[in-house]
Amino acid sequence: MSIVITGNPGVGKHTIAKEISQKMQLEIIDINQIAKDSGLFEENDESNDVDAKKLKEILDKKNLNKCIIVGHLAPYVLDKNRVSVVIILRRSPYDLIKVYKERGYSNKKSNENASSEILGIITYDAKNQFKDKVVQINVSQKEIQDVLNKVESAVSGKKDSEEVDWLDLVTKNNDLKKFFVD
């Protein structure tokens, strides 16, 4: 069994992966760490670009059985037949902006990541890549234990995916300019 935990920066991927790893006695494979260790990050302005093709080649050679694979690049570097379930953690863009501020992200980087969450880019790409293996979990305003329970339920085969639509929320709040204009 391979469990993928993905989502935008700041949604809690590593926190949840660590907890699930301890509970299920599974190794964590951190996609970003593999990219860093392999010298695949290329600094570009305020972000790091990754050669996804090379990263995929590296991951294709790894044993991904009985592990948790964590990282926002999962939909772009993993094959569907190598994973059992894909958990996408979703978080309110309003919460994410606070997280990014705490992390010292620039306004540009914060808005890019929050707008990606609003548009559901990782979710869209994960659903295209992994099809019926995808489960969305909205982690906004939830205790870690509640999220862990949902992840464990998804891993055990109960795929109660939550539909998340931040674009509707942001539009209703008349905040599109807050996230999509510099």
Side-chain angles (χ1 to χ4, degrees):
M1 165 180 291
S2 299
I3 302 164
V4 175
I5 299 179
T6 191
N8 280 292
V11 296
K13 296 180 297 290
H14 289 88
T15 301
I16 296 302
K18 222 177 283 179
E19 294 287 332
I20 293 294
S21 167
Q22 289 173 351
K23 194 164 196 169
M24 298 181 75
Q25 303 287 295
L26 296 173
E27 173 191 2
I28 294 176
I29 295 178
D30 185 331
I31 295 172
N32 282 354
Q33 193 60 53
I34 290 170
K36 284 178 189 167
D37 293 348
S38 302
L40 298 180
F41 273 120
E42 181 182 303
E43 285 192 33
N44 185 7
D45 233 359
E46 296 179 26
S47 65
N48 292 316
D49 293 333
V50 175
D51 185 330
K53 186 176 178 184
K54 286 183 183 175
L55 182 55
K56 183 180 181 339
E57 289 171 6
I58 291 167
L59 289 167
D60 283 346
K61 294 175 186 169
K62 288 200 170 292
N63 179 359
L64 301 180
N65 293 330
K66 297 183 181 177
C67 65
I68 297 172
I69 307 158
V70 63
H72 70 282
L73 297 172
Y76 316 106
V77 297
L78 296 172
D79 287 321
K80 176 185 178 184
N81 62 354
R82 297 198 66 205
V83 301
S84 306
V85 64
V86 178
I87 310 292
I88 305 170
L89 301 180
R90 305 290 307 273
R91 190 167 184 185
S92 164
Y94 297 100
D95 293 347
L96 287 176
I97 289 294
K98 294 173 191 167
V99 170
Y100 300 151
K101 184 173 239 157
E102 289 170 11
R103 290 182 178 184
Y105 286 16
S106 69
N107 285 339
K108 180 183 178 196
K109 185 174 180 178
S110 294
N111 283 347
E112 283 175 0
N113 284 313
S115 62
S116 172
E117 176 65 19
I118 291 166
L119 296 174
I121 292 171
I122 290 177
T123 301
Y124 177 83
D125 292 341
K127 284 181 173 182
N128 280 336
Q129 177 66 9
F130 303 114
K131 310 290 185 220
D132 60 341
K133 295 181 179 189
V134 172
V135 176
Q136 288 185 77
I137 299 174
N138 180 356
V139 303
S140 304
Q141 309 300 314
K142 290 191 179 140
E143 298 292 325
I144 290 177
Q145 191 56 53
D146 294 333
V147 176
L148 290 173
N149 291 343
K150 287 185 177 278
V151 170
E152 288 174 20
S153 178
V155 168
S156 69
K158 189 175 180 190
K159 299 213 165 99
D160 275 341
S161 189
E162 299 176 68
E163 288 307 310
V164 179
D165 185 356
W166 300 128
L167 185 56
D168 188 47
L169 173 67
V170 170
T171 303
K172 283 180 182 172
N173 289 344
N174 201 23
D175 281 338
L176 285 172
K177 288 182 181 176
K178 178 178 182 172
F179 294 101
F180 292 98
V181 178
D182 281 335

